[in-house]
Amino acid sequence: MTDAAGIARGAGSGPLLVSEVAPAKINLALHVTGRRADGYHTLDSLVVFAAIGDTIEAVPAPDAATPALAIRGPFAAGLQADPDNLVLRAARAYAAHGGAIAGLDLRLDKQLPVASGIGGGSADAAATLRLLARIAPLPAPATDPCAAIAPTLGADVPMCLRSTPLRATGIGEELQPVAGLPRLPMVLVNPRVAVSTPAVFRALARCDNPGLPALPATFADVAALAAWLETTRNDLEAPATALIPEIAEAHAAMAAAEGCLLARMSGSGATVFGLFPDDAGATRAASGLAAAHPGWWVAATHAPGS
């Protein structure tokens, strides 16, 4: 049930601890197609979301007028729970739209590498909006308030808010759902080197590339999708690799893994994904990569189909 402030409560037990996963965003393909007068680059990208991510939790804090943030997890080091943190910015924006979120604090369990091209703060902000909408829903307006808030927090937040397979164009705000994708067993590898997205865009040799080729209505299996992806690119991989040579090593190691159908960097890096025919192959590849590169972050996972 909910109290007068709209906060979900259990019978006689106070506020319920609730959580929301912030799935890793994987750019299967990312073409940079132009640059606007305001400096933002336009993109054409095929995006899926993995079954691995950070977690946002809401916890009871009866005396809190506004939520505070605690950060934990293997990648918490170096993150600051300050007003610029996207989780807190999302919470403030939700409250500004009328969300009654007093009496709550937030916790971020940071399981994904920071500045790694797989969503990061954007996914965390989107998960915060979804979480708050569940426990302190706003009166139903003509438009979804979370969808209105998301673009104000960053270009990737609208797609992370959906966290379903989609094609993103414009600066990432023009979203089309994509059907016909198979379930994608995959391995993610990150050499634990942070990448500056602005620096990668500055290093682009050109930004007027063609967009994605036509998407088939459906793909028979992962191999069929990988074959189509071979006709596409991540235009940010070359400039990112020039800045962070470890990306090339991660890409080469992934591509050499037994059964890998496609290896490519996601987003602006430095995470590299590999697609595999099945979960068993992805698990074997992840074990081998982790053993050969103990300093890397390696995870076997999958992206749901559509």
Side-chain angles (χ1 to χ4, degrees), residues 7-305:
I7 304 300
R9 294 183 181 273
S13 61
L16 297 173
L17 184 150
V18 290
S19 64
E20 182 78 18
V21 175
K25 173 184 67 67
I26 311 299
N27 296 92
L28 296 177
L30 194 165
H31 293 198
V32 180
T33 57
R35 188 175 185 183
R36 305 192 317 192
D38 61 7
Y40 282 96
H41 290 81
T42 57
L43 312 172
D44 192 356
S45 184
L46 179 62
V47 179
V48 295
F49 291 84
I52 187 173
D54 299 333
T55 302
I56 303 291
E57 296 175 333
V59 297
D63 297 328
T66 57
L69 175 65
I71 306 174
R72 63 186 184 184
F75 292 98
L79 290 180
Q80 301 296 321
D82 59 26
D84 287 332
N85 186 285
L86 274 168
V87 170
L88 289 177
R89 287 175 55 194
R92 290 198 304 271
Y94 191 82
H97 276 69
I101 58 175
L104 292 177
D105 280 342
L106 298 170
R107 291 200 302 230
L108 167 61
D109 184 8
K110 193 66 182 170
Q111 293 290 319
L112 300 178
V114 177
S116 58
I118 52 176
S122 295
D124 296 340
T128 301
L129 293 177
R130 291 195 301 270
L131 175 65
L132 296 178
R134 283 169 50 205
I135 61 178
L138 300 173
T143 58
D144 178 4
C146 290
I149 294 168
T152 70
L153 299 171
D156 283 355
V157 179
M159 68 181 80
C160 292
L161 185 64
R162 296 193 184 188
S163 286
T164 57
L166 50 85
R167 183 174 182 174
T169 54
I171 62 170
E173 85 288 6
E174 299 173 16
L175 305 175
Q176 297 175 311
V178 173
L181 293 187
R183 183 181 182 278
L184 303 177
M186 65 174 61
V187 176
L188 305 179
V189 166
N190 185 281
R192 295 181 186 266
V193 179
V195 178
S196 165
T197 297
V200 171
F201 274 101
R202 286 195 297 269
L204 266 173
R206 59 181 298 172
C207 59
D208 57 346
N209 304 294
L212 295 177
L215 268 166
T218 189
F219 294 93
D221 52 24
V222 183
L225 175 60
W228 180 82
L229 287 170
E230 290 284 5
T231 69
T232 70
R233 313 173 304 279
N234 180 347
D235 288 330
L236 300 182
E237 186 161 354
T241 301
L243 295 171
I244 308 293
E246 291 90 339
I247 296 172
E249 183 182 0
H251 188 142
M254 183 72 78
E258 181 181 358
C260 183
L261 299 170
L262 176 84
R264 179 169 288 168
M265 189 187 81
S266 176
S268 57
T271 301
V272 171
F273 69 88
L275 299 183
F276 290 82
D278 51 43
D279 292 330
T283 299
R284 286 194 300 271
S287 296
L289 287 163
H293 304 278
W296 291 359
W297 176 76
V298 181
T301 184
H302 74 275

